[in-house]
Amino acid sequence: MLIGGGDIRGGIDYEDDSFFSMESLKNEVQEKYQVCVVELPGSVIAEGIPASHGEPNAGYLQYDDGVKIDKEGNITEIGGEPFDADKMYRAVMSLWDVKDGSSKPIMKYFKENQDKIPCEDSTWPVYSTLIGYWAK
């Protein structure tokens, strides 16, 4: 998952044994935030993440714990497998991050590959997905 920094706030550290309530979720995630699945090459992800980290901005790309990065800032692993710059990866992102976000390499890739941009109808609320995940 690659999500702009302003969309999932993550500004509070929760203790492992603390109770994470519906109110906590509402404080961390914009309720109407829509996401979609996109495919993009590893090389674009490797360029795209640091490109959004140059200066403070709401589009600072956050990534899930399946992405491992070394001390030099290079991606070493995605989803428990060694990182491959030539591999196509599936990522969950907002259409804003794809079309107008803060990562120029990601926007450039999708501008050059318009057929890879999902339509608006293929987005869903990340809020509902998280509730469904935790309700299991």
Side-chain angles (χ1 to χ4, degrees), residues 82-103:
F83 175 70
D84 180 350
D86 297 321
K87 180 179 177 179
M88 291 296 284
Y89 289 93
R90 294 178 67 188
V92 174
M93 301 180 75
S94 73
L95 284 178
W96 180 84
D97 289 318
V98 167
K99 296 177 180 180
D100 302 308
S102 64
S103 176

Side-chain angles (χ1 to χ4, degrees), residues 17-77:
D17 61 348
S18 67
F19 180 73
F20 190 82
S21 67
M22 180 69 79
E23 181 180 2
S24 303
L25 181 62
K26 287 180 178 181
N27 286 332
E28 297 293 342
V29 180
Q30 293 183 38
E31 189 171 350
K32 295 181 181 180
Y33 183 59
Q34 300 281 115
V35 293
C36 58
V37 175
V38 296
E39 289 191 349
L40 62 167
S43 59
V44 173
I45 296 171
E47 290 177 48
I49 291 173
S52 74
H53 293 185
E55 55 190 54
N57 68 79
Y60 179 101
L61 285 178
Q62 301 180 77
Y63 44 87
D64 64 42
D65 62 358
V67 178
K68 305 295 183 203
I69 296 184
D70 65 18
K71 292 178 184 176
E72 289 79 37
N74 301 308
I75 299 174
T76 59
E77 188 178 302

